[in-house]
Amino acid sequence: QLQLAGSGGGSVQVGGSLKLSCEASGYLYRSYSMGWFRQIPGKEREGVAVIDADGHTTYEDSAQGRFTIPRDNANNSLFQQMNDLKPEDATVYYCAAGPFYSSYEDVDSMISWGQGTQVTVSS
């Protein structure tokens, strides 16, 4: 099981960009799907983007075209580049690891979670 540490959140203006990072420790990082999830207060945690162990990516509709989720298997790292940020993107983001083939919809299948990192978007 991986241990995950997410970072990179911050405060930006509408239309700005942020890059989240997630460092993993443990074995067989390349065998896990990796993803970013978020939780708006009062709502259930939801998937934003996932890259599976084969490198296939899936995105929640509002993230498609604005976010990308590269992974660096050599350094056990995951990123999320977020562009054209909107007020509705503001919340806490969590990185997670899951089974080999996962999509952003597989919230309940994730095995390991990092601590959250706050994203604030101001107008």
Side-chain angles (χ1 to χ4, degrees):
Q1 191 164 341
L2 299 178
Q3 290 75 51
L4 305 176
S7 63
S11 182
V12 295
Q13 292 189 324
V14 170
S17 298
L18 276 176
K19 186 176 183 178
L20 306 183
S21 300
C22 181
E23 302 297 323
S25 59
Y27 295 101
L28 301 177
Y29 172 80
R30 64 180 64 245
S31 297
Y32 291 88
S33 289
M34 297 296 299
W36 291 97
F37 298 78
R38 63 190 175 194
Q39 187 161 19
I40 296 169
K43 295 188 177 182
E44 293 186 353
R45 193 169 294 186
E46 64 179 7
V48 178
V50 165
I51 180 167
D52 71 19
D54 268 349
H56 299 122
T57 55
T58 57
Y59 295 92
E60 186 269 336
D61 286 349
S62 70
Q64 183 75 49
R66 298 188 299 127
F67 296 2
T68 57
I69 183 171
R71 64 187 294 167
D72 179 354
N73 287 341
N75 292 295
N76 286 10
S77 298
L78 175 75
F79 306 95
Q80 178 162 274
Q81 178 66 46
M82 303 187 296
N83 299 325
D84 189 23
L85 283 161
K86 305 177 185 301
E88 53 265 38
D89 296 320
T91 190
V92 179
Y93 286 74
Y94 302 86
C95 62
F100 194 100
Y101 292 118
S102 299
S103 79
Y104 77 92
E105 297 173 301
D106 296 326
V107 178
D108 294 337
S109 298
M110 293 296 116
I111 300 166
S112 300
W113 293 88
Q115 82 281 9
T117 185
Q118 177 74 48
V119 171
T120 302
V121 183
S122 59
S123 56

